[in-house]
Amino acid sequence: MNQHDESNTSGSAKRPKRIIIGISGASGAIYGIRLLEVLHAMPGVETSVIISNAAKLTIAHETDYKPADVASLADEAPGNSDIAARISSGSHPTNGMIVAPCSMKTLSGIVHSYTDNLITRAADVILKEQRRLILVPRESPLHSGHCELLYKASRLGALIAPPMPAFYNRPQSVDDIVNHTVGRVLDLLDLDSGIVKRWKGLKADT
């Protein structure tokens, strides 16, 4: 293949949709895990996952997964200290990033461009390249400092998607609640997961 052909291939529509998942140490590790499970089953989607050290503890405490099992759900899993990973550069094309759950520490690092780890660096790259960054903050109650950070993140271009449960879909389990949030977050990346029970109006329920 000549150089011209290679450039055409790399720029073709056949390139997979590349999504980065960051899992920080806040409670709610299952959101990041379920995102990876759903994306893993989607054709034409390539994922990178970054798991912080605190997230590894949370995964072990809150779920039956091991961090290595979570990492295996992605196409690549660079360490959070690997600032030289390809997703740390804007020259590596991606379609977006989801930080789920997003701790207040990670939120602060993103807002202040304090890129001392790969999660915050990758998020900073997404913002500067004007790609889609979705933050799933997990903290309650919120004090004014948290609210200010969320506002500033929104002003920078991030989408804020707290994991607030919906009840119009009549959830019957924790999995139902998690799946609805995950599906709605993926909607923001134009990815239809097929797991969202969508609102059809009151007449549809009568």
Side-chain angles (χ1 to χ4, degrees):
M1 181 180 291
N2 61 38
Q3 185 176 359
H4 178 72
D5 290 336
E6 286 178 354
S7 63
N8 284 343
T9 300
S10 64
S12 71
K14 293 182 180 180
R15 181 173 69 79
K17 199 158 191 175
R18 293 178 176 145
I19 308 299
I20 304 169
I21 303 295
I23 305 179
S24 72
S27 180
I30 189 60
Y31 290 108
I33 295 170
R34 189 60 46 80
L35 279 164
L36 287 168
E37 290 176 332
V38 173
L39 290 170
H40 184 73
M42 284 187 176
V45 176
E46 179 183 292
T47 55
S48 304
V49 65
I50 315 161
I51 306 172
S52 73
N53 287 334
K56 292 176 183 178
L57 297 175
T58 308
I59 289 169
H61 181 70
E62 294 185 346
T63 77
D64 294 327
Y65 296 84
K66 296 179 180 178
D69 298 328
V70 177
S72 70
L73 293 169
D75 294 282
E76 65 174 5
N80 198 29
S81 61
D82 186 5
I83 300 297
R86 62 178 182 166
I87 55 176
S88 70
S89 172
S91 65
H92 176 65
T94 60
N95 298 90
M97 178 176 182
I98 306 167
V99 183
C102 181
S103 67
M104 293 300 105
K105 177 182 177 181
T106 297
L107 172 65
S108 181
I110 292 170
V111 167
H112 295 103
S113 301
Y114 188 68
T115 58
D116 67 334
N117 60 56
L118 188 55
I119 292 179
T120 53
R121 170 58 189 171
D124 199 56
V125 167
I126 293 292
L127 288 175
K128 79 181 182 67
E129 299 293 330
Q130 298 186 3
R131 300 169 188 166
R132 188 62 56 90
L133 175 64
I134 302 164
L135 305 180
V136 183
R138 254 295 302 130
E139 188 61 88
S140 181
L142 298 169
H143 60 59
S144 58
H146 299 150
C147 294
E148 183 178 9
L149 287 171
L150 290 167
Y151 172 72
K152 287 182 176 179
S154 177
R155 293 279 292 177
L156 289 171
L159 291 174
I160 313 300
M164 296 180 180
F167 294 99
Y168 63 80
N169 56 352
R170 297 291 186 96
Q172 301 298 306
S173 66
V174 172
D175 274 350
D176 288 344
I177 293 172
V178 171
N179 285 340
H180 186 82
T181 293
V182 165
R184 292 292 288 120
V185 166
L186 291 177
D187 283 348
L188 298 175
L189 289 171
D190 297 321
L191 290 169
D192 188 352
S193 62
I195 61 175
V196 177
K197 184 177 180 182
R198 302 191 183 281
W199 174 250
K200 300 183 184 299
L202 290 175
K203 292 183 178 179
D205 293 332
T206 57

